[in-house]
Amino acid sequence: MDYIYEYELKNYVDTGVVTDLVLAFSREGATKEYVQHKIAEKASYIWNLISQGGYLYVCGDAKGMARDVHRTLHNIVQEQESVDSTSAEATVKKLQTEGRYLRDVW
C-alpha cells in the first residue's frame, strides 16, 4: 500500500489540525474505493467545510483520479449551490487560485 504522509496525516488528526481525514485505496481490500466516490458520498459535508473556508487536498494519479475528483467537485458545487456548469467551474477554479483546492498529482 502506498500511503504517502501517513504519519504526518495521523498526527494532524491526533492534534486536531485535520478534522476529517477520508482515505481511499483502490488497490486494497475486496472492493475498490475511489476518491471521487468518497467525495460524492460526503458531498454536502464537504461543500459545507469548503464554504466555511476549508481546504481540499488531493494526492495521487493525474490521469484518471485527478480528473474524476475534479469532475466530482464540479458536480458538488453545481448541486450544492444550484448553479450552472460554467459558474460551478468558475468556483472550482477560484478555490484553486486561492490555494484551497490543492492537487499533488503525477
Side-chain angles (χ1 to χ4, degrees):
M1 173 171 45
D2 186 13
Y3 190 170
I4 300 172
Y5 307 120
E6 176 180 6
Y7 300 108
E8 292 88 344
L9 291 170
K10 286 181 179 179
N11 183 53
Y12 292 148
V13 171
D14 292 344
T15 59
V17 172
V18 171
T19 56
D20 194 9
L21 179 63
V22 178
L23 305 170
F25 296 101
S26 63
R27 289 171 176 58
E28 298 293 320
T31 59
K32 294 186 179 283
E33 296 180 307
Y34 292 104
V35 176
Q36 63 271 21
H37 300 139
K38 296 284 191 170
I39 291 172
E41 287 171 9
K42 294 180 165 271
S44 178
Y45 177 69
I46 287 172
W47 184 244
N48 187 43
L49 290 174
I50 291 171
S51 295
Q52 294 178 32
Y55 289 71
L56 179 63
Y57 179 71
V58 178
C59 180
D61 171 57
K63 289 181 277 181
M65 186 275 299
R67 180 193 66 235
D68 292 341
V69 167
H70 187 90
R71 185 179 308 122
T72 301
L73 181 58
H74 174 103
N75 291 341
I76 287 171
V77 172
Q78 195 169 359
E79 291 169 9
Q80 296 294 315
E81 292 294 301
S82 299
V83 295
D84 63 18
S85 182
T86 302
S87 295
E89 190 58 31
T91 298
V92 172
K93 293 293 184 192
K94 182 178 179 204
L95 290 170
Q96 287 180 296
T97 302
E98 293 172 347
R100 294 180 44 224
Y101 169 33
L102 305 165
R103 299 175 0 140
D104 181 6
V105 296
W106 56 90

